[in-house]
Amino acid sequence: VGANNASNSAGTIAGSKILSYRNVIMIFIFGFTAGLLLEGGKLAGSIQGKALQSPLDALSVTIVMGITLAMVAIATFARIPLPITQAVFGASVGSAIFLGIPLSEGYIALVLGSWLLTPFIAAVLAFLVGTVLRRHPVDSLGGGMMVFGILLLTASFFTAYVFGANTLGLIVGVVGGDLGAAEGTVLAIASTAAGGILVGERVSRMVGEGLSNLGPPTAFASQIGGALTVQLFTEMSVPVSISQAIVGG
């Protein structure tokens, strides 16, 4: 998971070369760990408890995570950011339908509607942030590049934070039923960190190059707009994709 989604947090800084990738990935790790520990519980019951009226058995959970990891591996190899949240949620619902587990249609409709709204909300928030930056240019502040660097670091940490709270919280809720919440949390943190450290750099640099071409204010507005959108849905206990939100922003 970290191999692919590190790009959402680390991409902008990696592209701007403000810090080395090793330092950037530490921000990513601290950010998603804080998000998972502080707010991950808001998403833990989104699938098994809200979308599904009965929990998946151990084999079904293994299949769901296997499908998700295979999609992540393919997307990472192709250097494409993947909406992990949608993969996990969709695979879980599909498994429930196959097993005949009753579904909560109302909550599933809410989630699907949120996926449609996510890029539009992110675009509006990014537009508002961009408008503020145009009216108060960073260069007009003391130490323009230093201020911009601080803004990027803040956006990077916050993006990782909402990823941990929303996406990793969702994953822990799926695997925690069999492993236990504490064990699932440790596994999520360790595996995401390992993916980001070992193979996340190639996707991060690809995304960073694209964001850097937007220009500093636009790249920052896109990232912070997407992160704010995910935080909004996290407060509602609705799983959404940080990748989709940032693209929308």
Side-chain angles (χ1 to χ4, degrees):
V1 175
N4 193 274
N5 279 259
S7 61
N8 295 313
S9 172
T12 304
I13 299 180
S16 63
K17 297 180 174 60
I18 293 176
L19 295 175
S20 67
Y21 182 76
R22 178 177 298 179
N23 290 327
V24 173
I25 206 64
M26 293 307 298
I27 295 174
F28 172 63
I29 293 172
F30 288 139
F32 77 68
T33 300
L36 176 58
L37 294 179
L38 295 177
E39 297 194 69
K42 296 177 180 178
L43 274 295
S46 295
I47 292 178
Q48 305 201 78
K50 291 185 178 180
L52 280 57
Q53 296 181 14
S54 299
L56 295 170
D57 57 36
L59 177 59
S60 298
V61 170
T62 301
I63 292 173
V64 167
M65 297 312 300
I67 293 173
T68 302
L69 291 175
M71 294 175 64
V72 170
I74 294 172
T76 301
F77 179 78
R79 301 187 182 185
I80 300 173
L82 176 73
I84 305 296
T85 300
Q86 296 175 2
V88 174
F89 193 89
S92 298
V93 171
S95 295
I97 294 174
F98 177 77
L99 295 171
I101 295 176
L103 302 176
S104 299
E105 290 85 358
Y107 181 74
I108 292 175
L110 172 63
V111 172
L112 295 178
S114 299
W115 292 354
L116 293 175
L117 290 174
T118 293
F120 296 103
I121 296 175
V124 170
L125 292 175
F127 173 78
L128 294 175
V129 173
T131 300
V132 172
L133 290 177
R134 283 194 297 272
R135 292 180 178 178
H136 305 282
V138 172
D139 290 341
S140 68
L141 302 174
M145 288 306 298
M146 181 182 71
V147 173
F148 175 64
I150 293 173
L151 289 176
L152 280 183
L153 291 173
T154 302
S156 178
F157 179 86
F158 186 45
T159 301
Y161 179 91
V162 298
F163 168 71
N166 198 288
T167 300
L168 293 186
L170 181 74
I171 292 174
V172 170
V174 174
V175 302
D178 294 308
L179 294 178
E183 291 80 359
T185 298
V186 171
L187 177 61
I189 292 173
S191 60
T192 303
I197 292 171
L198 296 176
V199 290
E201 184 172 3
R202 59 184 295 173
V203 180
S204 294
R205 293 201 180 281
M206 183 274 294
V207 172
E209 290 171 1
L211 288 173
S212 62
N213 290 334
L214 296 176
T218 304
F220 170 77
S222 175
Q223 189 172 30
I224 203 69
L228 286 170
T229 301
V230 175
Q231 181 63 34
L232 171 65
F233 283 111
T234 298
E235 297 303 323
M236 300 167 57
S237 298
V238 174
V240 294
S241 167
I242 183 64
S243 298
Q244 185 186 29
I246 289 179
V247 169

